[in-house]
Short mmCIF file of all heavy atoms in Angstrom, two decimals:
data_model
loop_
_atom_site.label_atom_id
_atom_site.label_comp_id
_atom_site.label_asym_id
_atom_site.label_seq_id
_atom_site.Cartn_x
_atom_site.Cartn_y
_atom_site.Cartn_z
N ASN M 91 81.47 91.73 107.78
CA ASN M 91 80.23 92.43 107.54
C ASN M 91 80.26 93.00 106.14
O ASN M 91 81.27 93.50 105.70
CB ASN M 91 80.21 93.54 108.60
CG ASN M 91 78.94 94.27 108.59
OD1 ASN M 91 78.43 94.59 107.54
ND2 ASN M 91 78.44 94.52 109.78
N LEU M 194 126.39 92.31 100.51
CA LEU M 194 125.75 91.89 99.25
C LEU M 194 124.52 92.72 98.87
O LEU M 194 123.88 92.45 97.86
CB LEU M 194 125.34 90.41 99.34
CG LEU M 194 126.48 89.41 99.52
CD1 LEU M 194 125.93 87.99 99.58
CD2 LEU M 194 127.48 89.54 98.36
N LEU M 201 117.65 90.95 99.35
CA LEU M 201 117.99 91.82 100.49
C LEU M 201 117.39 93.21 100.32
O LEU M 201 116.95 93.84 101.29
CB LEU M 201 119.51 91.93 100.64
CG LEU M 201 120.22 90.78 101.32
CD1 LEU M 201 121.73 90.96 101.25
CD2 LEU M 201 119.78 90.66 102.78
N SER M 213 105.80 102.46 110.06
CA SER M 213 104.64 103.38 110.07
C SER M 213 103.39 102.68 110.58
O SER M 213 102.57 103.30 111.26
CB SER M 213 104.40 103.96 108.67
OG SER M 213 104.09 102.93 107.76
N LEU M 252 96.81 84.81 94.61
CA LEU M 252 95.48 85.18 95.10
C LEU M 252 94.86 84.13 96.00
O LEU M 252 94.28 84.46 97.04
CB LEU M 252 94.55 85.47 93.92
CG LEU M 252 95.04 86.60 93.00
CD1 LEU M 252 94.07 86.81 91.86
CD2 LEU M 252 95.24 87.89 93.78
N ASN M 282 106.88 82.07 99.01
CA ASN M 282 106.66 80.75 99.62
C ASN M 282 107.80 80.30 100.50
O ASN M 282 107.69 79.32 101.23
CB ASN M 282 106.47 79.69 98.53
CG ASN M 282 105.17 79.91 97.80
OD1 ASN M 282 104.26 80.51 98.36
ND2 ASN M 282 105.09 79.44 96.56
N ILE M 319 90.49 112.19 92.03
CA ILE M 319 91.14 112.15 90.71
C ILE M 319 90.72 113.41 89.95
O ILE M 319 89.54 113.76 89.93
CB ILE M 319 90.73 110.88 89.95
CG1 ILE M 319 91.11 109.64 90.77
CG2 ILE M 319 91.34 110.85 88.57
CD1 ILE M 319 90.77 108.33 90.09
N ALA M 341 89.52 104.97 84.86
CA ALA M 341 90.49 105.20 85.94
C ALA M 341 91.70 104.27 85.77
O ALA M 341 92.85 104.68 86.00
CB ALA M 341 89.84 104.99 87.30
N ALA M 355 98.13 98.84 88.91
CA ALA M 355 97.43 97.56 89.08
C ALA M 355 96.27 97.64 90.07
O ALA M 355 95.51 96.68 90.23
CB ALA M 355 98.42 96.48 89.54
N ARG M 393 88.11 112.56 79.23
CA ARG M 393 87.99 112.50 80.67
C ARG M 393 89.16 113.17 81.36
O ARG M 393 89.00 113.88 82.34
CB ARG M 393 87.93 111.01 81.07
CG ARG M 393 87.66 110.76 82.49
CD ARG M 393 86.34 111.32 82.91
NE ARG M 393 85.33 110.30 83.07
CZ ARG M 393 84.17 110.52 83.67
NH1 ARG M 393 83.87 111.73 84.14
NH2 ARG M 393 83.28 109.56 83.77
N GLU M 439 107.46 97.29 57.52
CA GLU M 439 107.95 95.95 57.20
C GLU M 439 109.38 95.71 57.72
O GLU M 439 109.71 94.61 58.13
CB GLU M 439 107.90 95.71 55.71
CG GLU M 439 108.10 94.24 55.40
CD GLU M 439 107.51 93.88 54.06
OE1 GLU M 439 106.99 94.76 53.36
OE2 GLU M 439 107.58 92.71 53.71
N ILE M 499 93.64 117.26 68.13
CA ILE M 499 94.42 117.42 69.36
C ILE M 499 95.88 117.63 68.97
O ILE M 499 96.55 118.53 69.44
CB ILE M 499 94.29 116.21 70.31
CG1 ILE M 499 92.84 116.02 70.74
CG2 ILE M 499 95.18 116.40 71.54
CD1 ILE M 499 92.57 114.76 71.51
#
Side-chain angles (χ1 to χ4, degrees):
N91 186 316
L194 297 180
L201 280 173
S213 62
L252 301 180
N282 291 336
I319 302 181
R393 186 61 105 167
E439 193 157 2
I499 299 172

